[in-house]
Amino acid sequence: MIVSEQFYQLIVMVLSGIAVGFIIDSIRLIVFSTPKRSSLRKWMMVVELITWILLGGLTYYLLFWLKDGAWRAYDPLAQIAGIFLYQSFFQTFLRFVARILVNITWRPFWFIVRFIITVIRQILQLLINIVMFVIRPFVKIYSYLSYTFFKKLRYLKYNKKQQ
């Protein structure tokens, strides 16, 4: 392997570290842009752990694609250096870009999902109210008849004991 190939691979690993930092930061931004009571926020640790596992798998795939699966000691160091570069230099700009993307895509998506759920709930509540309105007279008639029937039964039972 020639030096220019190694340098190219080193640059790719540093760029993948920057991408990892951006993805983790974006996942945190997306999770914290949800309402405080959302299930996504409650499961944030699991979501972030799954994200780290997926990023580790993608890093291995990148190594496999780039170097036929050969792992060198400087590869994780280059990726960690990329994460530090992201933290030091690129975080403010890329976080701004991520916030714009979240506001353009995630929040409208979340709003549409909540709107659809609210509409479905209202339709179901309306249907339940209509069914209850239709059934109410029958329930009243049943309760009246059952009350008078049981009252007669008690009266007959009481009179039977008296005789």
Side-chain angles (χ1 to χ4, degrees), residues 72-129:
R72 306 276 190 261
Y74 61 83
D75 291 333
L77 294 175
Q79 200 164 24
I80 290 171
I83 292 172
F84 286 143
L85 277 172
Y86 172 77
Q87 286 290 109
S88 301
F89 299 110
F90 301 115
Q91 186 176 21
T92 55
F93 174 72
L94 290 177
R95 190 178 275 181
F96 173 72
V97 170
R99 282 187 182 141
I100 289 173
L101 289 174
V102 164
N103 287 333
I104 289 174
T105 59
W106 180 254
R107 288 191 185 209
F109 172 75
W110 196 251
F111 173 76
I112 290 169
V113 167
R114 287 189 307 177
F115 179 73
I116 290 171
I117 290 172
T118 304
V119 167
I120 290 171
R121 280 184 182 168
Q122 292 296 326
I123 290 172
L124 288 175
Q125 188 66 38
L126 180 67
L127 289 174
I128 290 171
N129 286 339

Side-chain angles (χ1 to χ4, degrees), residues 22-162:
F22 176 69
I23 290 169
I24 291 296
D25 205 22
S26 297
I27 292 294
R28 289 177 183 164
L29 183 69
I30 287 171
V31 168
F32 285 120
S33 70
T34 60
K36 289 185 179 182
R37 294 183 180 175
S38 75
S39 60
L40 188 63
R41 193 176 273 210
K42 291 177 185 174
W43 291 91
M44 180 191 166
M45 295 295 286
V46 175
V47 169
E48 191 165 339
L49 180 67
I50 290 171
T51 305
W52 277 107
I53 290 170
L54 287 174
L55 288 173
L58 287 174
T59 299
Y60 178 74
Y61 179 73
L62 180 68
L63 282 171
F64 187 75
W65 176 72
L66 198 61
K67 302 179 180 185
D68 295 328
W71 183 80
R72 306 276 190 261
Y74 61 83
D75 291 333
L77 294 175
Q79 200 164 24
I80 290 171
I83 292 172
F84 286 143
L85 277 172
Y86 172 77
Q87 286 290 109
S88 301
F89 299 110
F90 301 115
Q91 186 176 21
T92 55
F93 174 72
L94 290 177
R95 190 178 275 181
F96 173 72
V97 170
R99 282 187 182 141
I100 289 173
L101 289 174
V102 164
N103 287 333
I104 289 174
T105 59
W106 180 254
R107 288 191 185 209
F109 172 75
W110 196 251
F111 173 76
I112 290 169
V113 167
R114 287 189 307 177
F115 179 73
I116 290 171
I117 290 172
T118 304
V119 167
I120 290 171
R121 280 184 182 168
Q122 292 296 326
I123 290 172
L124 288 175
Q125 188 66 38
L126 180 67
L127 289 174
I128 290 171
N129 286 339
I130 289 171
V131 168
M132 293 303 292
F133 181 75
V134 170
I135 290 177
R136 188 170 299 145
F138 298 109
V139 170
K140 294 278 190 183
I141 291 170
Y142 174 77
S143 65
Y144 175 74
L145 290 177
S146 66
Y147 175 73
T148 57
F149 178 72
F150 287 129
K151 190 174 181 181
K152 285 180 184 178
L153 280 179
R154 273 187 273 145
Y155 176 74
L156 290 174
K157 190 176 181 182
Y158 179 74
N159 284 338
K160 200 181 231 186
K161 283 185 180 181
Q162 294 292 331

